[in-house]
C-alpha cells in the first residue's frame, strides 16, 4: 500500500486525515470547529442538520466526530475539560454517566461523579471480599 507524502495519518484510529496547508484550518479540524458559512447561505439551516456540542459558545460540528461524542452532544475537548458552561451553569462532563453535572457532584479533579464512583468502589470491594473468602477455604 502506497501513501503520498502529503497525507498524514491522524489519531482517528486508522482513518486517514489530510492536513491542510493552513495551520488555522488544521486547528479547526482537530477541535471540530465549524467552518464559517459562506455568504448567502442560511446559518440556521446548515446548523440544524448536524449535531453540535452543547457547551456554551462551542457550537462544534460533531458530524465527523466519534459516535460517542455525537450521541452525547459533546465535543472531545469539552468531554475532558475541568469546567464547562452548559445550560448556563458551570459543570463537568461525567465519564460514567455521560452527562454534565454541577461541579459540587465531583471530588476535586475527578471526571466521574461521586455517586457513580461510590457504586464502582462498592462493586470492587464486593468482588475483592469474595476473592479473599474463596482463598481462605
Amino acid at each position: 500500500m502506497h501513501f503520498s507524502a502529503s497525507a498524514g495519518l491522524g489519531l482517528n484510529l486508522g482513518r486517514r486525515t489530510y492536513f491542510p496547508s493552513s495551520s488555522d484550518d488544521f486547528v479547526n479540524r482537530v477541535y471540530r470547529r465549524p467552518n464559517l458559512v459562506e455568504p448567502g447561505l442560511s446559518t440556521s439551516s446548515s446548523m440544524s442538520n448536524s449535531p453540535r456540542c452543547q457547551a456554551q459558545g462551542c457550537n462544534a460540528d460533531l458530524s465527523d466526530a466519534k459516535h460517542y461524542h455525537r450521541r452525547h452532544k459533546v465535543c472531545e475537548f469539552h468531554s475532558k475539560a475541568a469546567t464547562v458552561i452548559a445550560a448556563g451553569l458551570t459543570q463537568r462532563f461525567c465519564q460514567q454517566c455521560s452527562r454534565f453535572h454541577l461541579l459540587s457532584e465531583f471530588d476535586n479533579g475527578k471526571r466521574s461523579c461521586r455517586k457513580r464512583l461510590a457504586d464502582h468502589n462498592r462493586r470492587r470491594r464486593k468482588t475483592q471480599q469474595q476473592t479473599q473468602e474463596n482463598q481462605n477455604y
Side-chain angles (χ1 to χ4, degrees):
M1 189 176 216
H2 184 270
F3 298 109
S4 70
S6 65
L9 191 59
L11 293 178
N12 260 343
L13 299 175
R15 285 189 9 210
R16 178 120 340 262
T17 303
Y18 296 96
F19 299 99
S21 59
S22 168
S23 63
D24 289 341
D25 289 341
F26 172 73
V27 170
N28 287 338
R29 285 187 61 176
V30 168
Y31 289 105
R32 306 255 192 273
R33 293 180 183 148
N35 293 333
L36 296 176
V37 179
E38 300 209 9
L41 293 178
S42 168
T43 56
S44 61
S45 65
S46 65
M47 292 176 70
S48 64
N49 294 337
S50 58
R52 301 281 173 178
C53 180
Q54 56 187 314
Q56 184 174 322
C58 179
N59 209 25
D61 183 0
L62 302 175
S63 52
D64 290 330
K66 294 178 183 174
H67 176 72
Y68 176 87
H69 295 108
R70 285 194 316 268
R71 180 178 180 193
H72 299 294
K73 294 187 180 93
V74 62
C75 68
E76 186 172 4
F77 176 79
H78 287 110
S79 71
K80 297 175 182 174
T83 60
V84 173
I85 305 293
L89 302 168
T90 304
Q91 303 184 58
R92 181 178 299 156
F93 191 76
C94 177
Q95 289 180 336
Q96 296 292 318
C97 301
S98 298
R99 60 182 59 177
F100 284 102
H101 296 297
L102 295 174
L103 293 180
S104 61
E105 297 182 42
F106 294 89
D107 287 330
N108 301 324
K110 300 229 190 278
R111 292 204 177 130
S112 297
C113 66
R114 240 181 258 112
K115 180 185 180 309
R116 288 295 179 107
L117 277 177
D119 292 344
H120 170 76
N121 289 335
R122 188 168 58 262
R123 283 191 302 273
R124 273 187 52 208
R125 275 188 234 110
K126 184 190 282 186
T127 57
Q128 286 175 350
Q129 266 181 340
Q130 290 172 348
T131 303
Q132 287 175 351
E133 289 172 1
N134 290 341
Q135 289 175 352
N136 290 336
Y137 289 112

